[in-house]
Amino acid sequence: MTSDGAVTFWIFLLCLIANSPHLKEGEAGRPDELHIGGIFPIEGKGGWQGGQACMPAAKMALEDVNMQPNLLPGFRLILHSNDSECEPGLGASVMYNLLYNKPQKLMLLAGCSTVCTTVAEAAKMWNLIVLCYGASSPALSDRKRFPTLFRTHPSATVHNPTRIKLMKKFGWSRVAILQQAEEVFISTVEDLENRCMEAGVEIVTRQSFLSDPTDAVRNLRRQDARIIVGLFYVVAARRVLCEMYKQQLYGRAHVWFFIGWYEDNWYEVNLVSEGITCTVEQMRIAAEGHLTTEALMWNQNNQTTISGMTAEEFRHRLNQALIEDNYDISHGRYPEGYQEAPLAYDAVWSVALAFNKTMERLTMGQKSLKDFTYTDKEIADEIYAAMNSTQFLGVSGVVAFSSQGDRIALTQIEQMVKGKYEKLGYYDTQLDNLTWLNTEQWIGGKVPQDRTIVTHVLRTVSLPLFVCMCTISSCGIFVAFALIIFNIWNKHRRVIQSSHPVCNTIMLFGVIICLTSVILLGMDGRFVSPEEYPKICQARAWLLSTGFTLAYGAMFSKVWRVHRFTTKAKTDPKKKVEPWKLYTMVSGLLSIDLVILLSWQIFDPLQRYLETFPLEDPVSTTDDIKIRPELEHCESQRNSMWLGLVYGFKGLILVFGLFLAYETRSIKVKQINDSRYVGMSIYNVVVLCLITAPVGMVIASQQDASFAFVALAVIFCCFLSMLLIFVPKVIEVIRHPKDKAESKYNPDSAISKEDEERYQKLVTENEELQRLITQKEEKIRVLRQRLVERGDAKGTELNGATGVASAVAAAVASTSQPASLINASTSAHPTPAATLAITQDTHEQRT
């Protein structure tokens, strides 16, 4: 049977018994006694066992009331009580025994919300007033359901305005709730939720449990709960506190609101008997800093109350009574219900005062309280009216009841500081007045935050890296402008004319644009607002794409014309390359770029997109702060499609340019004298682009690495292209300022390696021939001398002259064929040595 079913069963049974004929005329006991029933939770294992201290307080109150001569004159107030263990079924049984065992009772006292709910809901059947000294359930404020209920214990909802007030004071707008699955706490939470909604406080999660709070506390940690309202009985509170320690939901980052009617040492006692696995020291650590809210249950002023005692005097008497009842209250260890003891004491006084006022009214009608029966609604109404108007200064403060029968009281706020509860202030719900003592002490020295403060930090390019890349790019731009001036200034020089200076100038402008884009690649949120960032994105795309097309397109057009010239100009070696064809090709490539970029910008422009990273801990702070890194990217809705178009177009001309450079690697034409260096530049550009594009996409989330890699690739391509194409020209112009023949620094305009070898071979052959001619001349000289010396006859001289002439003719004939070969071989590239050899040979022949 469920608890609700059990309650219904007992109420039904008691109603049947109430209508029994033999009980309608109840026994009144002795003529000078007024009897009341008391239900005290004492020996239970769960819930609130506050009767341990409240029963001794109630007995003290009976003694004091019965000693007052002017209060209930001629009568003594007698209390009949039993233990309910805070169980509603057992409470109903105790109520039955009290009502239907002699003598008849005029009123009932009860404690524990669940028991009071059962008793108060049934007591109306017997026209009995129920006064609860220890019930805080908000459900008990329902006058339709509990028409005869009063309580000296304030409703649990009196804490909620105080909690809301504290949340506003400390700037907490995000809270969590952990509750035990009991009616008193369920109704309290419902009221708290409504008040939070009105105050604009977000309830991030609401967790409940029956007996084991482990999973509920873990869920609080998952939800990053920082300000937590806990509503549970003290036995469950110890389990919650131990689980708090295990889950590390304590310390400078967390604030717990606990119920204030626990005993001061509640977290240190009964750990072993209840199976708590945490040590006392661990419980102390977890409990440090928590807040409690409780209705003031002890008079805060040293005033004499209606009983003639001050609150401190009452405390002293209560302690003595607890010691006599064998309770160990040394070291501040009080039994459960010690905080509510003044409420039980004042509850008995409320009963006595109400009876006293009722007697006065009944005397006027010649009636007495002794005439009360469970069916006498008239006397019951008189008792109700008297109780409703009761007001006095008791040891718990001013005792008065609202129209719902609730106690009107101030709320006290306390904080656990170094193992002791320190008062922080008081709150008057009716006047909305918070009296604050400024004695709070927070772990860490500052008010905890209601959530992890997530600081969004924009990842930007390192400033030294950005400055370094900008400096190098600026130097490159300066060099490019200087080379443009050099190119224009020396455009009449043969070494410049043969390399097509306009194409070179186009390439240099492309280099300047690419180097300018490097600066824009490093401009991020450090320098540009989020609203202006899309413009930077567009500028990057335009500059880098058009700059690449101009620079690479100029080189591509050159190598293309070299390839076309060598394949179609074999029949006409003197055919010139028309410059307009080169410019047309560059213009065509640039037009394709413009079409893609314009379509991209019009239909799907680049926007600022933030990439977020996992939370990180700050480096140099102990605050409850997490860092959410963010990185800016330029993206559009169909970003992959547009990048595919751009990369596809650029990749196509890169691969085709690489092919052409490979095909023309050993071809040299006078019409384009720097074709070899252009091919080398294309090699480097293609390799770097094919590496940079995929790697840049992979490391895009690493802002410094991505920027450095892409920037260095662009810078290296630009500088290398300028170095290969223009440095030879600059050196040539410097070494030959008056446009003499090209030197070794301009090898494309001089002879090739094969021609050089052939030339050296001819020089060697020429030297050998000169040596042979010298030998022949020496022989001729010797022969002539012999002829002179012999002085032969004229006929003999004639014959000798004829022989000499024949010898000379034979010598000349022997040398004429090599000389012709030299002339033929060197006709294409005559040299001074060859010319000299041929001249000497001709001279000897003439001689």
Side-chain angles (χ1 to χ4, degrees):
M1 183 181 293
T2 64
S3 59
D4 291 341
V7 172
T8 304
F9 169 76
W10 282 108
I11 293 175
F12 177 73
L13 179 61
L14 293 174
C15 290
L16 291 177
I17 297 173
N19 294 315
S20 299
H22 68 280
L23 291 174
K24 289 188 178 180
E25 296 295 333
E27 295 290 340
R30 294 178 57 181
D32 60 345
E33 292 179 351
L34 299 176
H35 300 272
I36 60 175
I39 305 173
F40 294 89
I42 300 174
E43 299 295 337
K45 300 299 182 182
W48 181 70
Q49 305 301 320
Q52 297 172 9
C54 288
M55 177 173 268
K59 291 179 178 179
M60 288 171 51
L62 283 173
E63 295 176 4
D64 295 342
V65 165
N66 290 328
M67 290 176 62
Q68 296 292 329
N70 298 325
L71 190 60
L72 300 178
F75 290 93
R76 286 179 56 82
L77 194 59
I78 305 298
L79 176 65
H80 303 268
S81 63
N82 209 337
D83 183 10
S84 69
E85 298 182 7
C86 198
E87 292 291 340
L90 184 57
S93 177
V94 171
M95 173 182 165
Y96 164 76
N97 291 327
L98 289 173
L99 293 181
Y100 298 108
N101 288 328
K102 299 176 184 180
Q104 184 169 337
K105 313 304 184 297
L106 296 173
M107 190 178 292
L108 294 177
L109 297 180
C112 177
S113 293
T114 55
V115 173
C116 284
T117 301
T118 302
V119 172
E121 196 165 15
K124 61 186 178 183
M125 303 297 180
W126 289 269
N127 295 311
L128 281 174
I129 303 298
V130 178
L131 181 58
C132 293
Y133 57 85
S136 61
S137 174
L140 297 174
S141 300
D142 187 353
R143 258 292 174 250
K144 293 182 180 180
R145 183 180 176 189
F146 308 103
T148 62
L149 174 68
F150 293 89
R151 48 181 169 172
T152 56
H153 193 297
S155 171
T157 56
V158 77
H159 301 274
N160 291 337
T162 308
R163 292 171 181 139
I164 297 296
K165 193 69 175 180
L166 290 178
M167 292 173 190
K168 291 182 177 180
K169 175 177 176 60
F170 295 116
W172 297 327
S173 60
R174 182 178 183 270
V175 300
I177 299 174
L178 178 64
Q179 68 170 81
Q180 190 175 5
E182 297 284 351
E183 183 183 12
V184 56
F185 304 124
I186 293 173
S187 53
T188 302
V189 168
E190 291 174 352
D191 178 76
L192 179 60
E193 286 180 333
N194 293 332
R195 293 180 184 273
C196 285
M197 185 180 299
E198 294 174 359
V201 176
E202 175 192 2
I203 297 179
V204 63
T205 183
R206 174 180 173 179
Q207 300 292 325
S208 62
F209 64 94
L210 288 174
S211 58
D212 185 4
T214 302
D215 292 336
V217 176
R218 287 178 182 172
N219 290 335
L220 292 177
R221 181 175 181 83
R222 294 191 190 101
Q223 295 291 335
D224 191 33
R226 299 307 176 94
I227 312 301
I228 307 166
V229 179
L231 300 171
F232 24 74
Y233 288 119
V234 68
V235 175
R238 283 188 277 268
R239 296 186 179 276
V240 169
L241 193 65
C242 182
E243 194 61 31
M244 283 168 49
Y245 180 84
K246 294 177 181 178
Q247 298 296 329
Q248 297 183 349
L249 288 176
Y250 64 92
R252 63 180 181 84
H254 298 85
V255 177
W256 283 80
F257 283 86
F258 284 160
I259 298 174
W261 37 258
Y262 304 155
E263 303 308 318
D264 288 353
N265 62 335
W266 63 270
Y267 55 91
E268 298 177 338
V269 298
N270 301 330
L271 300 184
V272 177
S273 61
E274 295 175 4
I276 306 298
T277 57
C278 294
T279 65
V280 173
E281 184 60 29
Q282 291 172 342
M283 298 286 278
R284 288 174 181 169
I285 293 173
E288 184 67 20
H290 77 263
L291 300 176
T292 65
T293 57
E294 61 175 323
L296 284 178
M297 301 177 188
W298 294 77
N299 195 331
Q300 301 302 304
N301 301 318
N302 193 25
Q303 296 174 320
T304 301
T305 65
I306 192 171
S307 64
M309 295 186 299
T310 63
E312 287 302 317
E313 291 171 345
F314 168 75
R315 187 189 300 272
H316 179 72
R317 284 184 60 191
L318 178 62
N319 292 344
Q320 292 297 324
L322 293 174
I323 293 174
E324 292 174 1
D325 289 344
N326 298 320
Y327 285 107
D328 182 12
I329 61 172
S330 60
H331 307 292
R333 296 182 178 180
Y334 298 100
E336 195 166 354
Y338 185 82
Q339 294 295 331
E340 290 80 15
L343 303 179
Y345 182 88
D346 286 343
V348 175
W349 274 90
S350 299
V351 172
L353 292 173
F355 283 171
N356 193 66
K357 188 177 295 187
T358 304
M359 288 174 62
E360 295 176 357
R361 294 180 179 177
L362 291 176
T363 302
M364 298 172 60
Q366 296 181 353
K367 287 186 179 182
S368 172
L369 282 173
K370 297 296 292 183
D371 299 331
F372 174 75
T373 63
Y374 296 144
T375 59
D376 192 341
K377 192 172 187 310
E378 182 181 352
I379 296 179
D381 290 342
E382 290 293 339
I383 297 174
Y384 178 89
M387 181 63 73
N388 194 41
S389 61
T390 297
Q391 183 173 354
F392 63 95
L393 179 62
V395 293
S396 63
V398 176
V399 178
F401 302 101
S402 67
S403 58
Q404 289 81 26
D406 293 336
R407 170 76 177 273
I408 301 172
L410 297 177
T411 308
Q412 176 178 277
I413 305 126
E414 292 183 322
Q415 183 184 37
M416 175 66 71
V417 178
K418 297 179 181 179
K420 295 182 179 180
Y421 282 108
E422 299 290 341
K423 292 183 178 62
L424 301 185
Y426 306 95
Y427 181 62
D428 188 339
T429 305
Q430 291 183 322
L431 299 179
D432 189 24
N433 179 38
L434 178 64
T435 303
W436 197 249
L437 305 179
N438 294 315
T439 57
E440 69 273 19
Q441 296 183 30
W442 301 109
I443 300 174
K446 59 182 299 185
V447 178
Q449 300 159 346
D450 61 357
R451 69 198 74 195
T452 299
I453 301 300
V454 178
T455 303
H456 295 268
V457 176
L458 187 64
R459 287 184 174 178
T460 58
V461 175
S462 171
L463 188 59
L465 176 62
F466 176 69
V467 172
C468 179
M469 293 296 121
C470 287
T471 302
I472 297 175
S473 299
S474 300
C475 294
I477 293 172
F478 176 78
V479 171
F481 274 116
L483 291 176
I484 290 174
I485 296 173
F486 167 83
N487 196 52
I488 296 174
W489 186 264
N490 295 284
K491 63 182 180 180
H492 61 282
R493 301 290 296 270
R494 184 158 52 92
V495 68
I496 303 297
Q497 285 180 346
S498 298
S499 67
H500 294 276
V502 177
C503 254
N504 292 340
T505 302
I506 293 174
M507 188 205 77
L508 290 173
F509 273 114
V511 166
I512 292 171
I513 294 173
C514 286
L515 292 175
T516 303
S517 71
V518 170
I519 300 175
L520 292 182
L521 287 173
M523 294 186 68
D524 46 30
R526 186 200 304 271
F527 308 102
V528 183
S529 66
E531 293 76 17
E532 299 296 325
Y533 194 77
K535 298 178 181 178
I536 297 296
C537 293
Q538 298 291 348
R540 289 178 185 174
W542 278 86
L543 291 181
L544 192 56
S545 183
T546 56
F548 172 84
T549 300
L550 290 175
Y552 181 80
M555 295 186 291
F556 177 82
S557 63
K558 280 189 179 184
V559 75
W560 166 258
R561 293 311 302 167
V562 169
H563 184 268
R564 297 288 295 169
F565 184 78
T566 55
T567 54
K568 288 190 176 182
K570 292 182 178 179
T571 59
D572 188 8
K574 295 183 180 180
K575 181 180 179 180
K576 294 184 178 180
V577 177
E578 298 180 5
W580 68 267
K581 293 184 178 180
L582 300 178
Y583 311 149
T584 302
M585 180 167 292
V586 176
S587 300
L589 296 176
L590 188 61
S591 299
I592 297 175
D593 250 0
L594 293 177
V595 170
I596 296 176
L597 291 173
L598 280 173
S599 301
W600 192 355
Q601 184 166 355
I602 293 173
F603 299 107
D604 191 15
L606 288 169
Q607 300 294 332
R608 179 177 181 262
Y609 165 74
L610 282 179
E611 178 186 4
T612 58
F613 298 88
L615 292 174
E616 299 176 355
D617 293 321
V619 178
S620 58
T621 181
T622 58
D623 292 339
D624 188 19
I625 296 175
K626 293 287 186 180
I627 294 176
R628 174 76 71 183
E630 297 177 339
L631 184 61
E632 291 175 312
H633 293 288
C634 295
E635 290 191 9
S636 56
Q637 293 182 357
R638 294 178 293 275
N639 200 60
S640 300
M641 181 191 74
W642 296 110
L643 287 179
L645 284 175
V646 174
Y647 287 166
F649 168 58
K650 304 294 184 187
L652 185 63
I653 61 175
L654 281 173
V655 172
F656 193 42
L658 183 64
F659 167 76
L660 293 178
Y662 177 79
E663 287 290 314
T664 60
R665 64 189 182 282
S666 59
I667 298 176
K668 292 165 285 296
V669 294
K670 291 184 178 180
Q671 290 85 345
I672 302 178
N673 62 1
D674 55 359
S675 60
R676 177 176 296 179
Y677 291 128
V678 170
M680 294 174 62
S681 297
I682 288 177
Y683 292 151
N684 289 285
V685 170
V686 171
V687 171
L688 285 173
C689 288
L690 293 179
I691 294 174
T692 303
V695 174
M697 295 177 67
V698 170
I699 63 174
S701 296
Q702 306 174 36
Q703 71 280 4
D704 286 342
S706 177
F707 171 68
F709 190 80
V710 175
L712 286 176
V714 173
I715 290 171
F716 187 75
C717 286
C718 293
F719 273 85
L720 191 61
S721 299
M722 291 189 294
L723 176 68
L724 290 174
I725 295 177
F726 284 94
V727 169
K729 296 177 176 58
V730 173
I731 295 177
E732 181 69 22
V733 170
I734 293 175
R735 290 179 61 85
H736 303 281
K738 295 188 178 180
D739 200 17
K740 294 183 179 179
E742 289 86 346
S743 68
K744 63 181 181 180
Y745 295 100
N746 194 18
D748 279 338
S749 62
I751 60 176
S752 65
K753 183 177 181 181
E754 293 82 0
D755 291 341
E756 180 68 21
E757 293 176 353
R758 185 178 178 187
Y759 172 75
Q760 292 297 333
K761 182 177 180 182
L762 290 175
V763 169
T764 303
E765 291 178 357
N766 190 44
E767 291 177 352
E768 180 65 22
L769 291 173
Q770 287 183 3
R771 186 182 61 79
L772 292 175
I773 291 173
T774 302
Q775 290 178 356
K776 296 294 185 179
E777 288 178 346
E778 180 64 24
K779 288 181 181 181
I780 293 172
R781 188 186 63 76
V782 172
L783 290 174
R784 284 179 177 177
Q785 186 176 359
R786 288 179 181 178
L787 289 174
V788 172
E789 290 178 352
R790 289 179 181 179
D792 292 339
K794 182 176 180 182
T796 303
E797 292 177 357
L798 184 58
N799 291 334
T802 303
V804 171
S806 299
V808 171
V812 171
S814 65
T815 59
S816 62
Q817 186 175 359
S820 301
L821 178 61
I822 294 172
N823 290 333
S825 303
T826 59
S827 61
H829 299 282
T831 63
T835 304
L836 177 61
I838 295 170
T839 303
Q840 289 179 346
D841 184 37
T842 305
H843 176 71
E844 291 296 334
Q845 289 181 3
R846 290 177 180 176
T847 304

